Amino acid sequence: MASAEECAAFWDLVHHVCALIRQPKWQNNLSLKKLTTQITCEHVVKVLELHNDASSALQFFCWIGKRPGYRHDVHSYASIIKLLHSVNSIFFQREAEALKVSMINACGHEDEIRKVIETLNQMHMKGFKLSKKVYNTLLEVVERLNMISMAQRVFTEMFANGFKPDLFTYNKMINAFCKQGKVREANIFFNHILQDGWCPDTSTYTSLILGHCRSGNLEEAFEVFRWMSEQGCEPDVVTYSILVDGLCKKGKIQEAFHLVDEMVKKRCIPNVHTYTTLIKGLCDGDRVQEALDIVDEMKKNNCKPNIHTYTSLISGLCKEGKLKEAKELFDKIKKMDLVPNVVTYNALINGHCKQMQMDYAFELIERMEKSGCQPNVCTYNELINGLCKQRKVQKAMQLLNKMLDRNLVPNNVTYNTLIDVHCKEYQIDIAFDLFTLMKKKGHEPDDWTYSTLVSGLCKEGNLKQACELFNKLCEKGCAPDCVTYTAIIDGHCKAGKIGIALGLFYKMFVNGREPNSHTYNALINGLCKENRMLEADKLFGQMLGSGVPPTLVTYTTLIDGLCKGGCMDLAFKVLDKMVLVDCPPNVYTYSALIYGLCKEGKLEEAEMLISDMEEKGINPNQVTYTALIDGNIKSGRIDHAFNLLSKMMKGGCIPNYRTYCKLIDGLIQENNAQQELVISNEDALSTSNHDGPDKIRAMDHMWKNLKVDIAFHLLDRMMEKCCQPTVDTYSALVAGFCKGGRLLEAGQLIKIMVDRGLFPNEAIYSSLVDGHCKQEKYMDALELLDKMAENGYEPGISLSNAVIHGLCRDGLVQEAERLFENTLQGGYSPNEVTLKTLIDSLLKNGNTDKCLMLLNRMEENGFEPNGQTYKELIRVLCKENKVFEANSLMDRMLEKGLALDIDIVDFTSIGL
């Protein structure tokens, strides 16, 4: 609400303007010109209401409308139109009609046209009738804005008010439906054209062709194209361009070129849109060089490429990974006085996000905003997706908050991307918070949302809840799609419940869902892991019989199962079959074979296979090298294992935690350490990214008892082989000692590391925080989190939750509260257990106000506390006689659909 001073200033300006425009030659008044920067539509409305002279009021309306930085809105238009209608003059009535048309044409989006229609309806009810031109203009604008239902409403009102539709009216209705591929509805109006005696023109037929192209029916589009020529109606450049676009979208580029040749022969000159359509088609088909040649042809034909042309080229270059060329083209078009639009920026941002070059992507956002081009939902989706691929989840969540702050509405793609990454990061609670927020914001979760959550729950080992969600989806009458079925089948396979997985597989057929290659792959993998190779082979046969082509994953899974089962001859036969069916093996295929050879002690053959890989341009990865290093360690060839480590690092392949564990295992053997400290090598390599519980316990046991001298020996041995330890080396060792509860030894390693000019990375800090939490040293853990933030690293939400929880247990509520706030500002929501712990701690100190503030902060950030948290706070508020606050919380619970217990209602009644 405006203050008294602001209201006074508003009316002073209105009266001053009214006084000035009553003077002769007021248009040249310097005082008035100076005031124009302050004049808003609200001022204009009041000036027009106070000014009785229609002639000078119209002059002022037109004059102010031409001033830089000013634009009339629906209210200012409505004011002048009402004033002109109040004067009994044919001239002013005509001017009023012309202004109605201008008001309609000025609409740029749905909200504006809806306000205009509402205003025109109010005028109509007051006796100001609308002309046929106004109705046709309305139709033209709502059709342009793709508002079909509004177009139907305008058409109906027009007809009801006695205006017979003409060819223009019918064409607009046909085009409105055809733009959305609704040809059946468009044909109703086409029939009306014929019934009313009108002759369909080029615009009519072109719209129908567009409709068939949009619905994917290219044959019908060409049928209309032939028919229009038979009717003596010549196609124009728009007609041809639509058909060229339809062919390109179907991948029929050559036919599109033939059609362009045909239009040239008929003296219909291709325009920039025609050429741009061809260029986009070529770029979509990974034929960017040919697209660039088309640009040269355009220039020769005096057809100047526009921003859409260059946007297609930039998108194509980015798609082919040619980011340097894309950037050069982007800089070049700015020198051509072409203004990049949001789609242009998005194409370049998307390309850099896919290549994980996020710094440049964010730099583009800054350049974009400085140039006055505002990012849209697609822009943020690309950035969020890029950050999620890098597992920078907190930054991705900050972008979600930024979108909401800017009133940009996140769509299903936004939420699904964030839900997916939280599931992959085993943060299923936050994934469900996002799921709730998604529904709260009016977005209906789709099959991808449900399958992601089902898959996430399965990966977390929470098969029971995954099944509940799956069943809930079925109970809602939504038949789960193939993706969701595959997720639940895969979950049961990973849990070793192959019988249930096969039952669900056959249930798919009953429910009319055809399994795809991913479904078969999940089941084959499950059977292979249980060494049920005969059944896996039978299912593979069924897959072939069903017409589902085996993928690289299918063959690699079978090879991995055969290698682990010691059937190396059969594994190599499958490899030969892969080559025959033109399915080249990848690094994981070779890694499985190398593991199998190493398991049988055939180390020379394994190394020969690595050479074979490299000759084919396939670089060995961490899994490949770790398998070979492990094989050499088992055979007592420790020195050669370190040679392999050196080769691995020089080849740019970073050893992981498991690699170093294998090397330490070898050093323990070499130093005649106790045999029980040696890690079990069984199942050392797996195509899975996760270690089994037995193996993890064995590794933890080793680190608890490992002498720190062995770790130092590892570093020395690496340097002997000219294999300089990196930050990742120290990170793996620090992680091991922290897992084993050896914080002192982890600190010693960090000191050596810093002395050698290396500094802790995010992984090292995370290991230290986790280690301190396990030893209940929460203040030390908090200091480490602060150091992480100072060095630009983002603490994971699970770490923050653990520290908050621990601080509360130690009575350090103020510190816990500070960390809670920092976590929320980072775009994350601490989980329910943490929130409840913090609230309980605050309640013990009688600080209900802080508790309410925390609840509000949680809700502002889009995360809903559960019902139990609300109930606990309501009880305490009632005990403190804060009944108003307690009842407000009860109302909020009811709004959110949370159940109220009888005892809670009784409690508030007692308080009352």
Side-chain angles (χ1 to χ4, degrees), residues 110-125:
E110 285 190 24
D111 288 343
E112 286 183 338
I113 194 68
R114 287 184 193 282
K115 286 177 184 175
V116 165
I117 289 171
E118 185 183 340
T119 302
L120 290 172
N121 284 338
Q122 287 171 359
M123 289 181 183
H124 186 72
M125 288 170 70

Side-chain angles (χ1 to χ4, degrees), residues 132-186:
K132 186 174 182 178
K133 186 176 182 181
V134 170
Y135 276 116
N136 274 340
T137 307
L138 273 173
L139 267 182
E140 191 172 14
V141 173
V142 295
E143 176 263 317
R144 172 166 51 84
L145 295 173
N146 296 319
M147 299 168 69
I148 282 189
S149 58
M150 186 61 77
Q152 288 175 293
R153 177 179 154 190
V154 171
F155 180 85
T156 305
E157 285 183 8
M158 181 181 180
F159 199 81
N161 285 303
F163 295 110
K164 193 175 180 181
D166 54 19
L167 184 61
F168 177 90
T169 315
Y170 284 127
N171 278 350
K172 286 300 163 190
M173 292 304 296
I174 289 169
N175 202 47
F177 282 105
C178 286
K179 278 165 80 175
Q180 295 193 18
K182 298 182 177 181
V183 186
R184 185 184 296 175
E185 293 87 342

Side-chain angles (χ1 to χ4, degrees), residues 14 50 152 155 184 197 284 306 324 393 397 458 480 495 507 529 558 696 743 764 854 856 860 878:
V14 168
L50 293 171
Q152 288 175 293
F155 180 85
R184 185 184 296 175
D284 289 343
N306 63 16
K324 184 184 175 185
V393 187
M397 291 292 283
C458 290
K507 192 176 179 181
K529 280 186 176 176
L558 283 169
I696 290 169
L743 299 180
I764 289 174
L854 289 177
N856 291 334
E860 284 167 13
C878 289

Side-chain angles (χ1 to χ4, degrees), residues 66 109 128 154 161 193 264 278 320 362 450 454-455 522 526 661 708 721 780 792:
K66 294 174 184 176
H109 52 79
F128 303 124
V154 171
N161 285 303
I193 289 176
V264 172
L278 279 173
E320 289 189 2
F362 277 100
Y450 282 105
V454 167
S455 181
C661 284
V708 75
K721 296 290 180 183
D780 292 336

Side-chain angles (χ1 to χ4, degrees), residues 435-453:
F435 178 69
T436 304
L437 178 64
M438 181 181 186
K439 291 193 289 185
K440 183 181 174 183
K441 295 290 183 181
H443 296 279
E444 191 60 37
D446 53 26
D447 292 328
W448 184 255
T449 322
Y450 282 105
S451 61
T452 301
L453 287 168

Side-chain angles (χ1 to χ4, degrees), residues 3-292:
S3 65
E5 291 82 3
E6 288 171 332
C7 285
F10 175 87
W11 283 106
D12 283 346
L13 181 58
V14 168
H15 290 303
H16 192 186
V17 171
C18 283
L20 288 171
I21 63 174
R22 288 192 181 100
Q23 296 175 11
K25 298 181 180 180
W26 56 265
Q27 292 95 333
N28 299 322
N29 191 302
L30 291 175
S31 298
L32 183 59
K33 286 179 180 179
K34 287 178 183 177
L35 288 175
T36 53
T37 56
Q38 302 172 44
I39 296 173
T40 65
C41 291
E42 288 82 359
H43 291 111
V44 171
V45 169
K46 295 303 175 186
V47 168
L48 294 172
E49 285 176 359
L50 293 171
H51 203 74
N52 295 323
D53 183 59
S55 180
S56 60
L58 180 60
Q59 287 174 25
F60 170 69
F61 180 87
C62 296
W63 178 83
I64 191 68
K66 294 174 184 176
R67 306 308 295 176
Y70 178 88
R71 179 175 176 265
H72 284 301
D73 66 5
V74 63
H75 302 294
S76 55
Y77 269 112
S79 295
I80 188 66
I81 290 166
K82 286 175 186 175
L83 178 59
L84 295 176
H85 270 308
S86 68
V87 182
N88 188 16
S89 162
I90 294 173
F91 170 76
F92 287 131
Q93 299 305 315
R94 285 176 183 167
E95 287 296 317
E97 285 303 298
L99 285 170
K100 287 173 191 174
V101 171
S102 298
M103 174 173 67
I104 295 162
N105 282 324
C107 295
H109 52 79
E110 285 190 24
D111 288 343
E112 286 183 338
I113 194 68
R114 287 184 193 282
K115 286 177 184 175
V116 165
I117 289 171
E118 185 183 340
T119 302
L120 290 172
N121 284 338
Q122 287 171 359
M123 289 181 183
H124 186 72
M125 288 170 70
K126 290 178 181 178
F128 303 124
K129 291 184 178 180
L130 305 182
S131 67
K132 186 174 182 178
K133 186 176 182 181
V134 170
Y135 276 116
N136 274 340
T137 307
L138 273 173
L139 267 182
E140 191 172 14
V141 173
V142 295
E143 176 263 317
R144 172 166 51 84
L145 295 173
N146 296 319
M147 299 168 69
I148 282 189
S149 58
M150 186 61 77
Q152 288 175 293
R153 177 179 154 190
V154 171
F155 180 85
T156 305
E157 285 183 8
M158 181 181 180
F159 199 81
N161 285 303
F163 295 110
K164 193 175 180 181
D166 54 19
L167 184 61
F168 177 90
T169 315
Y170 284 127
N171 278 350
K172 286 300 163 190
M173 292 304 296
I174 289 169
N175 202 47
F177 282 105
C178 286
K179 278 165 80 175
Q180 295 193 18
K182 298 182 177 181
V183 186
R184 185 184 296 175
E185 293 87 342
N187 275 325
I188 295 169
F189 292 96
F190 182 78
N191 291 332
H192 280 304
I193 289 176
L194 301 176
Q195 288 167 13
D196 289 357
W198 298 98
C199 289
D201 61 6
T202 300
S203 176
T204 319
Y205 289 114
T206 300
S207 292
L208 290 170
I209 288 167
L210 173 69
H212 286 301
C213 286
R214 290 274 167 94
S215 64
N217 197 336
L218 211 53
E219 287 182 10
E220 284 293 329
F222 274 97
E223 189 62 37
V224 174
F225 179 66
R226 285 187 288 273
W227 187 29
M228 73 183 286
S229 296
E230 288 170 9
Q231 298 299 314
C233 191
E234 288 299 317
D236 60 13
V237 66
V238 178
T239 319
Y240 278 109
S241 297
I242 288 167
L243 285 166
V244 168
D245 183 53
L247 288 166
C248 288
K249 281 176 179 168
K250 289 282 186 181
K252 298 180 178 182
I253 305 294
Q254 209 55 45
E255 290 179 45
F257 274 101
H258 289 319
L259 190 62
V260 172
D261 291 339
E262 182 188 314
M263 70 184 285
V264 172
K265 285 175 186 175
K266 291 189 176 182
R267 297 184 180 180
C268 183
I269 307 302
N271 63 12
V272 65
H273 179 67
T274 319
Y275 282 117
T276 301
T277 301
L278 279 173
I279 286 165
K280 187 177 184 307
L282 288 166
C283 289
D284 289 343
D286 299 329
R287 295 163 66 179
V288 180
Q289 188 52 54
E290 292 173 69
L292 290 165

